[in-house]
């Protein structure tokens, strides 16, 4: 599903067939989860394709690496350029891109100088599909910010997401919503959350969330559209009393949540702010808004 015999990947400075790319079994990322990664999307546009907010994603990759004491020898510009090349070499336009920085062999609990870069891409539909999502409040709490760098996109953090998603799916839901260590709403397993109440939006403030690039895009869109958004701690009760809610993330894009536990939101997706925002988002992803945008 992720590759076939023809798929090309970037691995440690070389272009290889995915089927020929290999790595050692003693690497620290595999044993201890110490590695950093990104999730990026490219979109087919009338002038080719656009890797949406590629610079922002690679800036976050650099910040994640720095927080985890991981050496990353490629500049943001180099990473962006490799990514455009990757999409072209695979003859893709719409694609999901996965850069991963993983570490060399080391069984000690210290940073390792040897780092590796792997970037691959595959065609991936909207991660949670197009239908409104039934979400379950997870019994697993989001990682405590005093234990881990919550703002870093670290491989090992996703065991928390996997536990939450598995629990939600086994209970018949599509996705989990995790609370933070104080019991406030934090985010989904792989997306930020917004709720709508009386024509305004609310989203958890930074501190206990991964600050999403899609979340930032939604905040910008709201500014453009004159929709009021407040970033603040949100209680579980406030979520339950919302008119509507949605997830925002690169993989899920903007995805309406129809239900949390047994509470069904009163506003249908078509009547909620998420509807118009998603239309705008679909336009926005065709262009980068940085000045040094690379549009092919
Ligand atoms: N929170 C978590 C835990 C995530 O994994 C993601 C996906 N990277 C997000 C939020 C959304 O981030 P972005 O919009 O940058 O994809």
């Amino acid at each position: 599903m992720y590759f076939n015999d023809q798929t090309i990947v970037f691995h440690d400075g070389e272009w290889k067939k995915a089927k020929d790319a290999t790595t050692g079994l003693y690497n620290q990322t595999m044993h201890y989860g110490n590695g950093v990664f990104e999730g990026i999307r490219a979109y087919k546009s009338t002038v080719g394709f656009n890797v949406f907010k590629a610079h922002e994603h690679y800036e976050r990759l650099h910040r994640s690496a720095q927080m985890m004491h991981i050496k990353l020898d490629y500049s943001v510009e180099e990473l962006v350029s490799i990514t455009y090349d990757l999409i072209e070499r695979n003859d893709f336009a719409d694609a999901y891109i996965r850069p991963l920085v993983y570490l060399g062999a080391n069984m000690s609990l210290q940073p390792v100088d040897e780092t590796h870069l792997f970037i691959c891409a595959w065609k991936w539909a909207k991660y949670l599909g197009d239908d409104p999502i039934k979400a379950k409040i997870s019994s697993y709490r989001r990682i405590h910010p005093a234990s881990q760098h919550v703002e870093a996109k670290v491989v090992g953090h996703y065991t928390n997401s996997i536990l939450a998603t598995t629990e939600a799916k086994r209970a018949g839901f599509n996705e989990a919503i995790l609370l933070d260590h104080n019991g406030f709403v934090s985010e989904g397993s792989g997306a930020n959350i917004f709720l709508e109440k009386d024509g305004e939006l609310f989203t958890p403030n930074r501190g206990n969330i991964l600050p999403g690039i899609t979340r930032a895009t939604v905040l910008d869109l709201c500014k453009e559209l004159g929709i009021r958004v407040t970033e603040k701690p949100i209680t579980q009760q406030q979520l339950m009393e919302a008119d509507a809610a949605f997830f925002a993330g690169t993989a899920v894009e903007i995805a309406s949540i129809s239900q949390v536990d047994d509470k069904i939101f009163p506003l249908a997706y078509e009547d909620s702010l998420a509807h118009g925002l998603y239309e705008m988002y679909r336009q926005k992803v065709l262009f980068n808004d940085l000045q040094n945008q690379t549009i092919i």
Side-chain angles (χ1 to χ4, degrees):
M1 171 197 170
Y2 299 106
F3 67 94
N4 59 31
D5 284 354
Q6 306 310 318
T7 306
I8 306 285
V9 297
F10 183 87
H11 189 209
D12 289 340
E14 287 176 37
W15 295 102
K16 299 177 185 173
K17 290 265 175 77
K19 65 182 174 67
D20 300 327
T22 57
T23 193
L25 291 173
Y26 290 79
N27 78 65
Q28 201 184 47
T29 310
M30 188 176 286
H31 289 261
Y32 301 136
N34 189 25
V36 292
F37 70 106
E38 269 304 319
I40 311 174
R41 271 193 194 273
Y43 289 91
K44 186 178 190 319
S45 75
T46 49
V47 284
F49 65 90
N50 182 48
V51 182
F52 184 55
K53 296 205 169 174
H55 288 80
E56 283 92 331
H57 279 282
Y58 284 119
E59 279 157 11
R60 185 169 67 188
L61 185 69
H62 265 274
R63 285 196 301 278
S64 298
Q66 207 175 10
M67 281 188 260
M68 297 308 291
H69 315 285
I70 292 172
K71 250 176 29 159
L72 176 51
D73 293 329
Y74 295 79
S75 70
V76 167
E77 287 306 327
E78 283 169 330
L79 292 163
V80 170
S81 161
I82 292 165
T83 302
Y84 271 88
D85 207 352
L86 176 76
I87 301 300
E88 277 184 355
R89 281 172 192 257
N90 283 290
D91 208 10
F92 286 159
D94 286 312
Y96 183 82
I97 301 142
R98 168 55 51 80
L100 169 69
V101 182
Y102 68 94
L103 301 180
N106 195 310
M107 294 296 162
S108 80
L109 297 175
Q110 290 168 67
V112 191
D113 275 347
E114 183 190 331
T115 61
H116 299 267
L117 174 67
F118 175 63
I119 312 183
C120 60
W122 63 89
K123 293 194 179 178
W124 221 22
K126 224 176 156 200
Y127 178 59
L128 292 171
D130 289 317
D131 293 335
I133 293 155
K134 291 184 193 168
K136 175 180 166 36
I137 300 281
S138 182
S139 69
Y140 296 96
R141 293 288 168 103
R142 193 78 184 107
I143 305 161
H144 196 301
S147 303
Q148 293 284 351
H149 293 291
V150 177
E151 297 214 345
K153 204 165 161 61
V154 178
V155 173
H157 291 186
Y158 284 79
T159 52
N160 175 238
S161 300
I162 289 170
L163 285 172
T165 308
T166 306
E167 179 190 60
K169 294 226 181 221
R170 286 188 178 174
F173 293 83
N174 310 112
E175 173 58 312
I177 294 171
L178 290 89
L179 306 178
D180 67 21
H181 59 284
N182 292 316
F184 291 104
V185 175
S186 67
E187 56 188 337
S189 62
N192 294 113
I193 188 167
F194 286 78
L195 64 88
E196 176 177 343
K197 183 77 182 170
D198 299 330
E200 293 182 22
L201 291 181
F202 299 85
T203 194
N205 53 293
R206 281 173 69 159
N208 297 310
I209 60 167
L210 184 85
I213 287 158
T214 318
R215 176 182 180 275
T217 307
V218 170
L219 294 177
D220 286 346
L221 283 173
C222 286
K223 218 176 270 174
E224 278 176 42
L225 294 167
I227 299 168
R228 217 170 125 180
V229 196
T230 310
E231 297 171 68
K232 63 165 202 151
I234 292 170
T235 64
Q236 204 176 327
Q237 190 181 349
Q238 283 166 330
L239 174 62
M240 293 305 190
E241 288 170 359
D243 298 330
F246 62 89
F247 285 122
T250 300
V252 302
E253 301 183 319
I254 288 174
S256 169
I257 303 169
S258 57
Q259 180 178 339
V260 176
D261 290 345
D262 54 4
K263 165 77 194 190
I264 296 170
F265 291 122
L267 222 49
Y269 169 58
E270 290 69 24
D271 302 321
S272 73
L273 290 168
H275 183 73
L277 282 166
Y278 188 45
E279 299 287 305
M280 293 272 292
Y281 184 75
R282 293 291 307 179
Q283 293 303 311
K284 193 116 177 155
V285 294
L286 305 179
F287 306 97
N288 277 309
D289 37 27
L290 281 181
Q291 277 182 335
N292 56 346
Q293 60 188 244
T294 323
I295 298 169
I296 295 178

